[in-house]
Amino acid sequence: MKYFTTVNDVHSVKDLVEDALHFKKDPSCLSNFGKNKTLGLIFLNPSLRTRLSTQKAGMNLGMNVMVMNLDKEGWALEFEDGAIMNGNKAEHIKDAAAVIGQYCDIVGIRCFPGLLSRQEDYSEKVLISFMKHCTVPVVSLESATLHPLQSLADLMTIQETWNKPFKPKVVLSWAPHVKALPQAVANSFSEWMVKSSVDFTITHPEGYELNEEYTRGANITTNQHEALEGADYVYVKNWSSYTDYGQINCRDEAWMLTKEKLLGTNQAKIMHCLPVRRNIEISDQLLDGPDSLTLLQASNRVYAAQAVLKKLIDYRIPEGGNVRATIGKEKNFR
Ligand code: CP
Protein backbone atom coordinates (compact mmCIF):
# COMPACT_ATOMS: atom_id res chain seq x y z
CA MET A 1 0.00 0.00 0.00
CA LYS A 2 1.53 3.34 -1.02
CA TYR A 3 -1.32 5.62 0.09
CA PHE A 4 -3.84 5.52 2.92
CA THR A 5 -6.37 8.23 2.14
CA THR A 6 -9.66 6.27 1.80
CA VAL A 7 -11.02 2.78 2.49
CA ASN A 8 -10.51 2.16 -1.24
CA ASP A 9 -6.73 2.17 -0.72
CA VAL A 10 -7.05 -0.91 1.50
CA HIS A 11 -6.59 -4.37 -0.01
CA SER A 12 -8.48 -6.14 2.83
CA VAL A 13 -10.30 -4.15 5.53
CA LYS A 14 -10.73 -7.34 7.54
CA ASP A 15 -6.97 -8.06 7.54
CA LEU A 16 -6.12 -4.46 8.44
CA VAL A 17 -8.46 -4.57 11.46
CA GLU A 18 -6.94 -7.92 12.47
CA ASP A 19 -3.46 -6.37 12.24
CA ALA A 20 -4.53 -3.41 14.37
CA LEU A 21 -6.01 -5.74 17.00
CA HIS A 22 -2.80 -7.75 16.96
CA PHE A 23 -0.74 -4.61 17.57
CA LYS A 24 -3.05 -3.78 20.45
CA LYS A 25 -2.23 -7.10 22.11
CA ASP A 26 1.49 -6.67 21.54
CA PRO A 27 2.45 -3.09 20.56
CA SER A 28 6.20 -3.91 20.50
CA CYS A 29 5.91 -7.01 18.31
CA LEU A 30 7.62 -5.26 15.37
CA SER A 31 9.64 -2.72 17.31
CA ASN A 32 12.47 -2.68 14.74
CA PHE A 33 10.35 -2.84 11.62
CA GLY A 34 10.66 0.89 10.92
CA LYS A 35 14.23 1.27 12.16
CA ASN A 36 16.12 3.99 10.25
CA LYS A 37 12.87 5.07 8.56
CA THR A 38 11.57 8.57 9.11
CA LEU A 39 7.91 9.48 9.51
CA GLY A 40 7.07 13.14 8.89
CA LEU A 41 3.75 14.35 10.27
CA ILE A 42 2.67 17.61 8.66
CA PHE A 43 -0.21 19.57 10.15
CA LEU A 44 -2.02 22.44 8.46
CA ASN A 45 -4.70 22.34 11.20
CA PRO A 46 -4.93 21.59 14.95
CA SER A 47 -4.87 18.05 16.36
CA LEU A 48 -4.52 16.22 19.65
CA ARG A 49 -5.35 12.54 19.01
CA THR A 50 -4.11 12.17 15.46
CA ARG A 51 -0.83 13.86 16.22
CA LEU A 52 0.02 11.92 19.38
CA SER A 53 -1.38 8.53 18.34
CA THR A 54 0.36 8.49 14.95
CA GLN A 55 3.59 9.64 16.56
CA LYS A 56 3.31 6.86 19.12
CA ALA A 57 2.47 4.33 16.38
CA GLY A 58 5.64 5.29 14.50
CA MET A 59 7.72 4.99 17.68
CA ASN A 60 6.23 1.55 18.42
CA LEU A 61 7.60 0.45 15.03
CA GLY A 62 11.03 1.93 15.79
CA MET A 63 10.65 4.86 13.37
CA ASN A 64 12.14 8.31 13.76
CA VAL A 65 9.26 10.78 13.88
CA MET A 66 9.28 14.47 12.96
CA VAL A 67 6.24 16.70 13.43
CA MET A 68 5.72 20.12 11.85
CA ASN A 69 2.81 22.54 12.17
CA LEU A 70 3.36 23.74 8.64
CA ASP A 71 0.56 26.32 8.79
CA LYS A 72 2.31 28.14 11.67
CA GLU A 73 5.97 27.16 11.33
CA GLY A 74 6.41 26.93 7.56
CA TRP A 75 6.19 29.39 4.70
CA ALA A 76 2.76 30.31 3.33
CA LEU A 77 2.06 27.87 0.50
CA GLU A 78 1.04 28.52 -3.10
CA PHE A 79 -0.97 25.71 -4.73
CA GLU A 80 -1.76 27.13 -8.19
CA ASP A 81 0.26 25.72 -11.06
CA GLY A 82 1.99 28.47 -13.00
CA ALA A 83 1.30 31.12 -10.35
CA ILE A 84 3.33 34.31 -10.55
CA MET A 85 4.34 34.39 -6.91
CA ASN A 86 4.39 38.12 -6.27
CA GLY A 87 1.94 37.99 -3.32
CA ASN A 88 2.32 36.82 0.27
CA LYS A 89 2.72 33.10 -0.53
CA ALA A 90 6.42 32.41 -0.20
CA GLU A 91 6.76 28.76 -1.25
CA HIS A 92 5.11 26.58 -3.88
CA ILE A 93 3.70 23.22 -2.79
CA LYS A 94 5.80 21.61 -5.56
CA ASP A 95 8.96 22.65 -3.75
CA ALA A 96 7.77 22.22 -0.15
CA ALA A 97 6.36 18.70 -0.67
CA ALA A 98 9.34 17.60 -2.74
CA VAL A 99 11.71 18.74 0.01
CA ILE A 100 9.67 17.00 2.74
CA GLY A 101 9.88 13.83 0.63
CA GLN A 102 13.68 14.09 0.72
CA TYR A 103 13.68 13.94 4.52
CA CYS A 104 10.94 11.37 5.09
CA ASP A 105 10.15 7.78 4.10
CA ILE A 106 6.47 8.25 4.91
CA VAL A 107 4.56 11.53 5.11
CA GLY A 108 1.34 12.14 7.04
CA ILE A 109 -0.66 15.21 6.15
CA ARG A 110 -3.63 16.92 7.83
CA CYS A 111 -5.42 19.37 5.57
CA PHE A 112 -8.97 20.45 6.47
CA PRO A 113 -11.41 21.92 3.94
CA GLY A 114 -11.98 25.67 3.67
CA LEU A 115 -15.79 25.01 3.57
CA LEU A 116 -16.16 27.86 1.06
CA SER A 117 -16.05 25.96 -2.22
CA ARG A 118 -17.38 22.41 -2.40
CA GLN A 119 -15.71 21.86 -5.72
CA GLU A 120 -12.33 22.91 -4.42
CA ASP A 121 -12.60 20.95 -1.15
CA TYR A 122 -13.87 17.76 -2.81
CA SER A 123 -11.06 17.95 -5.39
CA GLU A 124 -8.66 17.32 -2.44
CA LYS A 125 -6.22 19.78 -3.99
CA VAL A 126 -3.93 19.97 -0.94
CA LEU A 127 -3.74 16.22 -0.25
CA ILE A 128 -3.25 15.35 -3.92
CA SER A 129 -0.56 18.00 -4.33
CA PHE A 130 1.37 16.48 -1.44
CA MET A 131 0.92 12.96 -2.82
CA LYS A 132 2.08 14.07 -6.25
CA HIS A 133 5.12 16.06 -5.25
CA CYS A 134 6.54 14.33 -2.16
CA THR A 135 6.80 10.97 -4.04
CA VAL A 136 6.97 8.83 -0.88
CA PRO A 137 4.01 6.94 0.73
CA VAL A 138 1.39 9.25 2.23
CA VAL A 139 -1.07 8.71 5.07
CA SER A 140 -4.01 11.07 5.47
CA LEU A 141 -4.23 12.53 8.97
CA GLU A 142 -7.68 13.88 7.93
CA SER A 143 -8.16 15.51 4.58
CA ALA A 144 -10.85 17.84 3.26
CA THR A 145 -13.28 14.96 2.75
CA LEU A 146 -12.14 11.87 4.71
CA HIS A 147 -10.53 10.74 7.99
CA PRO A 148 -9.55 7.09 7.39
CA LEU A 149 -7.30 6.61 10.46
CA GLN A 150 -10.27 7.56 12.64
CA SER A 151 -12.61 5.21 10.78
CA LEU A 152 -10.21 2.28 11.04
CA ALA A 153 -9.97 2.83 14.82
CA ASP A 154 -13.79 3.09 14.97
CA LEU A 155 -14.29 -0.16 13.10
CA MET A 156 -11.69 -1.83 15.30
CA THR A 157 -13.59 -0.57 18.38
CA ILE A 158 -16.88 -2.00 17.13
CA GLN A 159 -15.27 -5.32 16.28
CA GLU A 160 -13.56 -5.75 19.64
CA THR A 161 -16.70 -4.90 21.65
CA TRP A 162 -19.17 -7.00 19.60
CA ASN A 163 -19.46 -10.66 20.54
CA LYS A 164 -22.83 -11.70 19.12
CA PRO A 165 -23.25 -14.05 16.14
CA PHE A 166 -25.18 -11.50 14.06
CA LYS A 167 -24.41 -8.06 12.60
CA PRO A 168 -24.69 -5.07 14.99
CA LYS A 169 -26.95 -2.16 14.10
CA VAL A 170 -24.74 0.93 13.85
CA VAL A 171 -26.30 4.41 13.62
CA LEU A 172 -24.51 7.59 12.61
CA SER A 173 -26.53 10.37 14.23
CA TRP A 174 -26.02 14.03 13.31
CA ALA A 175 -25.68 16.38 16.29
CA PRO A 176 -25.82 20.16 16.70
CA HIS A 177 -22.63 22.24 16.97
CA VAL A 178 -21.72 25.88 17.38
CA LYS A 179 -19.30 25.88 14.41
CA ALA A 180 -19.48 24.73 10.81
CA LEU A 181 -17.51 21.47 10.72
CA PRO A 182 -16.22 19.39 7.78
CA GLN A 183 -18.10 16.30 6.55
CA ALA A 184 -14.86 14.27 6.66
CA VAL A 185 -15.48 12.11 9.74
CA ALA A 186 -19.07 11.34 8.69
CA ASN A 187 -18.12 10.59 5.05
CA SER A 188 -15.31 8.38 6.20
CA PHE A 189 -17.25 6.51 8.89
CA SER A 190 -19.94 5.84 6.30
CA GLU A 191 -17.58 4.57 3.60
CA TRP A 192 -15.96 2.17 6.11
CA MET A 193 -19.30 0.98 7.55
CA VAL A 194 -20.85 0.18 4.18
CA LYS A 195 -17.83 -2.04 3.47
CA SER A 196 -18.11 -3.81 6.83
CA SER A 197 -20.31 -6.49 8.30
CA VAL A 198 -22.78 -4.15 10.05
CA ASP A 199 -26.35 -2.97 9.52
CA PHE A 200 -25.74 0.75 8.97
CA THR A 201 -28.17 3.68 9.29
CA ILE A 202 -27.52 7.42 9.01
CA THR A 203 -29.89 9.96 10.54
CA HIS A 204 -29.71 13.73 10.05
CA PRO A 205 -32.01 16.73 9.69
CA GLU A 206 -33.32 17.76 6.24
CA GLY A 207 -30.55 19.44 4.24
CA TYR A 208 -27.69 17.47 5.80
CA GLU A 209 -27.48 14.72 3.18
CA LEU A 210 -23.90 13.57 2.69
CA ASN A 211 -22.25 12.96 -0.69
CA GLU A 212 -23.78 9.74 -2.04
CA GLU A 213 -20.35 8.52 -3.06
CA TYR A 214 -19.72 7.66 0.60
CA THR A 215 -23.21 6.64 1.77
CA ARG A 216 -24.32 4.24 -0.99
CA GLY A 217 -25.57 1.09 0.79
CA ALA A 218 -26.58 2.87 4.03
CA ASN A 219 -30.16 3.31 5.28
CA ILE A 220 -30.80 7.05 5.55
CA THR A 221 -33.60 8.77 7.47
CA THR A 222 -34.40 12.20 8.89
CA ASN A 223 -36.29 10.50 11.75
CA GLN A 224 -33.76 10.13 14.57
CA HIS A 225 -36.20 8.27 16.85
CA GLU A 226 -36.87 5.65 14.17
CA ALA A 227 -33.16 5.33 13.35
CA LEU A 228 -32.22 4.67 16.97
CA GLU A 229 -34.71 1.82 17.40
CA GLY A 230 -32.73 -1.37 18.07
CA ALA A 231 -29.34 0.34 17.72
CA ASP A 232 -26.28 -1.40 19.18
CA TYR A 233 -23.87 1.49 18.49
CA VAL A 234 -24.66 5.20 18.09
CA TYR A 235 -21.89 7.27 16.51
CA VAL A 236 -22.59 10.94 17.14
CA LYS A 237 -21.10 13.60 14.89
CA ASN A 238 -21.86 17.05 13.61
CA TRP A 239 -21.19 18.08 10.04
CA SER A 240 -22.08 21.20 8.10
CA SER A 241 -24.36 21.01 5.08
CA TYR A 242 -22.98 19.38 1.95
CA THR A 243 -25.84 20.55 -0.28
CA ASP A 244 -25.85 24.17 1.00
CA TYR A 245 -22.11 23.84 1.26
CA GLY A 246 -20.46 24.61 4.58
CA GLN A 247 -23.57 26.21 6.09
CA ILE A 248 -25.24 25.57 9.47
CA ASN A 249 -28.94 25.22 8.64
CA CYS A 250 -30.06 23.42 11.79
CA ARG A 251 -29.41 24.36 15.40
CA ASP A 252 -32.19 22.20 16.81
CA GLU A 253 -31.03 21.13 20.29
CA ALA A 254 -33.40 18.15 20.11
CA TRP A 255 -30.78 16.38 17.95
CA MET A 256 -28.36 16.18 20.91
CA LEU A 257 -27.94 12.57 22.10
CA THR A 258 -29.28 12.07 25.63
CA LYS A 259 -30.01 9.05 27.82
CA GLU A 260 -33.75 9.32 27.11
CA LYS A 261 -33.10 8.93 23.38
CA LEU A 262 -31.53 5.52 23.99
CA LEU A 263 -34.58 3.86 25.52
CA GLY A 264 -35.45 2.01 22.31
CA THR A 265 -31.89 0.84 21.65
CA ASN A 266 -30.15 -2.38 22.72
CA GLN A 267 -28.35 -0.50 25.47
CA ALA A 268 -26.39 1.12 22.67
CA LYS A 269 -22.72 1.96 23.02
CA ILE A 270 -21.91 5.62 22.37
CA MET A 271 -19.17 6.64 19.97
CA HIS A 272 -17.62 9.98 19.02
CA CYS A 273 -14.24 10.74 17.44
CA LEU A 274 -13.54 13.65 19.87
CA PRO A 275 -13.13 16.51 20.44
CA VAL A 276 -16.76 16.68 21.53
CA ARG A 277 -18.86 19.69 22.55
CA ARG A 278 -20.35 18.36 25.78
CA ASN A 279 -24.06 18.99 26.34
CA ILE A 280 -24.34 20.29 22.77
CA GLU A 281 -23.61 17.09 20.80
CA ILE A 282 -23.93 14.51 23.62
CA SER A 283 -24.93 14.86 27.28
CA ASP A 284 -22.34 14.55 30.05
CA GLN A 285 -24.39 11.69 31.46
CA LEU A 286 -23.78 9.58 28.33
CA LEU A 287 -20.17 10.64 27.76
CA ASP A 288 -19.22 9.83 31.35
CA GLY A 289 -21.41 6.73 31.57
CA PRO A 290 -20.51 3.04 31.23
CA ASP A 291 -21.67 2.76 27.61
CA SER A 292 -19.34 5.44 26.24
CA LEU A 293 -16.60 4.05 23.96
CA THR A 294 -14.94 7.38 23.25
CA LEU A 295 -11.78 6.69 25.25
CA LEU A 296 -11.44 3.23 23.71
CA GLN A 297 -11.76 4.78 20.24
CA ALA A 298 -9.02 7.29 21.08
CA SER A 299 -6.79 4.53 22.47
CA ASN A 300 -7.31 2.41 19.36
CA ARG A 301 -6.03 5.25 17.17
CA VAL A 302 -2.47 4.14 18.07
CA TYR A 303 -2.93 0.56 16.87
CA ALA A 304 -4.90 1.57 13.79
CA ALA A 305 -2.07 3.93 12.80
CA GLN A 306 0.50 1.24 13.59
CA ALA A 307 -1.21 -1.22 11.22
CA VAL A 308 -1.35 1.41 8.49
CA LEU A 309 2.28 2.52 8.91
CA LYS A 310 3.36 -1.12 8.79
CA LYS A 311 1.58 -1.46 5.41
CA LEU A 312 3.18 1.75 4.11
CA ILE A 313 6.67 0.63 5.17
CA ASP A 314 5.85 -2.66 3.44
CA TYR A 315 4.71 -1.14 0.21
CA ARG A 316 7.52 -2.51 -1.92
CA ILE A 317 6.75 -5.98 -0.58
CA PRO A 318 3.95 -7.86 -2.43
CA GLU A 319 0.52 -7.34 -0.84
CA GLY A 320 -0.81 -10.16 1.31
CA GLY A 321 1.91 -10.09 3.98
CA ASN A 322 0.23 -9.35 7.30
CA VAL A 323 1.55 -8.57 10.75
CA ARG A 324 1.27 -12.13 11.96
CA ALA A 325 3.24 -13.42 8.98
CA THR A 326 5.97 -10.82 9.50
CA ILE A 327 6.70 -11.33 13.19
CA GLY A 328 10.03 -13.09 13.65
CA LYS A 329 11.06 -12.26 10.08
CA GLU A 330 11.63 -8.56 10.56
CA LYS A 331 15.41 -8.92 10.28
CA ASN A 332 14.86 -10.33 6.79
CA PHE A 333 12.77 -7.34 5.82
CA ARG A 334 14.39 -5.83 2.69
N1 CP B 1 -10.40 12.56 16.34
C1 CP B 1 -9.37 13.32 15.94
O1 CP B 1 -8.91 13.23 14.78
O2 CP B 1 -8.86 14.14 16.90
P1 CP B 1 -7.81 15.31 16.67
O3 CP B 1 -8.47 16.30 15.73
O4 CP B 1 -7.53 15.87 18.02
O5 CP B 1 -6.59 14.72 16.01
Side-chain angles (χ1 to χ4, degrees), residues 46-51 110 142 147 150 273-275 301:
S47 170
L48 187 162
R49 281 143 289 271
T50 305
R51 177 177 176 143
R110 168 163 282 200
E142 187 172 341
H147 194 359
Q150 180 66 53
C273 61
L274 305 181
R301 291 290 306 272

Side-chain angles (χ1 to χ4, degrees), residues 61-228:
L61 291 168
M63 301 185 84
N64 303 310
V65 187
M66 302 192 296
V67 183
M68 185 171 183
N69 298 314
L70 192 60
D71 59 326
K72 298 185 186 70
E73 297 159 355
W75 303 104
L77 292 177
E78 174 63 65
F79 284 89
E80 298 309 323
D81 265 343
I84 298 168
M85 291 176 57
N86 58 1
N88 56 6
K89 294 186 178 159
E91 180 156 36
H92 202 283
I93 183 64
K94 281 184 186 182
D95 302 313
V99 168
I100 291 167
Q102 297 296 303
Y103 304 146
C104 302
D105 299 288
I106 296 174
V107 172
I109 171 79
R110 168 163 282 200
C111 46
F112 285 176
L115 293 179
L116 297 173
S117 159
R118 184 167 94 178
Q119 193 184 2
E120 182 167 317
D121 289 345
Y122 275 70
S123 75
E124 290 283 14
K125 183 177 71 172
V126 179
L127 175 68
I128 289 172
S129 297
F130 266 92
M131 287 161 69
K132 184 170 165 194
H133 297 295
C134 79
T135 72
V136 297
V138 170
V139 51
S140 164
L141 305 175
E142 187 172 341
S143 69
T145 63
L146 293 169
H147 194 359
L149 283 176
Q150 180 66 53
S151 306
L152 174 57
D154 296 337
L155 179 57
M156 183 187 165
T157 305
I158 291 171
Q159 191 161 314
E160 75 170 326
T161 54
W162 184 249
N163 54 14
K164 300 197 176 122
F166 50 87
K167 291 178 183 181
K169 178 173 179 181
V170 178
V171 178
L172 170 61
S173 187
W174 183 91
H177 203 282
V178 295
K179 279 182 66 182
L181 296 190
Q183 293 104 34
V185 170
N187 286 341
S188 199
F189 187 69
S190 183
E191 76 161 8
W192 284 72
M193 286 302 115
V194 295
K195 285 214 164 186
S196 303
S197 190
V198 304
D199 168 6
F200 182 51
T201 297
I202 303 172
T203 184
H204 56 70
E206 294 278 356
Y208 280 83
E209 295 74 18
L210 293 164
N211 184 334
E212 265 183 42
E213 185 184 336
Y214 308 112
T215 61
R216 212 167 285 123
N219 309 303
I220 303 173
T221 172
T222 54
N223 186 331
Q224 189 191 38
H225 177 74
E226 190 181 283
L228 293 175

Side-chain angles (χ1 to χ4, degrees), residues 226-246:
E226 190 181 283
L228 293 175
E229 279 293 322
D232 298 294
Y233 294 86
V234 183
Y235 196 104
V236 181
K237 186 72 187 88
N238 169 268
W239 60 90
S240 60
S241 176
Y242 172 73
T243 44
D244 187 10
Y245 192 67

